Amino acid sequence: MASDARHRRSIRLQGYDYSQVGAYFVTICAQDRACLFGEIMDGDMRLNEAGHMVTSQWNVQTDRFPTVRLDTFIVMPNHIHGILWIESDTRGSTQASVGAGLVPAHSPANNFAGAKGVGYGR
């Protein structure tokens, strides 16, 4: 059985501890880069229902992760960009948050009509 999974080279810094205090640039892409979050009209991003859900989920990350501070953030038709800051030593709690994702499993965003899912991109 052939696998169609992509095998990409990791762009993470070898040996870098990503639980360290500092700023992190985050990009999250929609599965298959489908334009799920809205569209660009006259040079402006117009969010649809899913785009508003993603924005609201970004804004509550500090409730889920108290050691995180949010910085600038933008939603594009098929991906998001954001900067977040880890403000204190999270060793011990980082393992629970790594891979926790932007949208919790119980979020209505996971039930959005036509959405195939959200995946991590680069």
Side-chain angles (χ1 to χ4, degrees):
M1 181 168 153
S3 171
D4 64 351
R6 297 179 199 169
H7 297 284
R8 294 185 282 183
R9 180 182 61 83
S10 175
I11 60 173
R12 288 181 173 234
L13 294 174
Q14 193 73 9
Y16 184 79
D17 179 2
Y18 283 91
S19 67
Q20 291 186 79
V21 171
Y24 293 86
F25 182 80
V26 177
T27 298
I28 302 174
C29 297
Q31 184 174 344
D32 298 326
R33 292 199 173 22
C35 292
L36 300 177
F37 309 130
E39 60 185 332
I40 306 260
M41 296 177 64
D42 300 322
D44 292 322
M45 179 61 194
R46 306 285 167 89
L47 298 178
N48 60 20
E49 183 181 354
H52 287 289
M53 282 190 278
V54 167
T55 300
S56 69
Q57 290 299 312
W58 174 267
N59 290 328
V60 299
Q61 291 307 296
T62 54
D63 296 338
R64 295 181 68 208
F65 306 105
T67 60
V68 169
R69 179 174 53 90
L70 302 176
D71 205 309
T72 190
F73 171 75
I74 188 165
V75 178
M76 300 303 291
N78 63 0
H79 65 283
I80 65 167
H81 295 294
I83 297 174
L84 57 85
W85 291 80
I86 297 178
E87 292 192 318
S88 63
D89 188 348
T90 60
R91 291 172 208 341
S93 65
T94 301
Q95 292 305 316
S97 64
V98 170
L102 180 62
V103 180
H106 62 275
S107 171
N110 289 325
N111 298 321
F112 181 74
K116 290 185 176 180
V118 176
Y120 295 95
R122 55 179 200 181

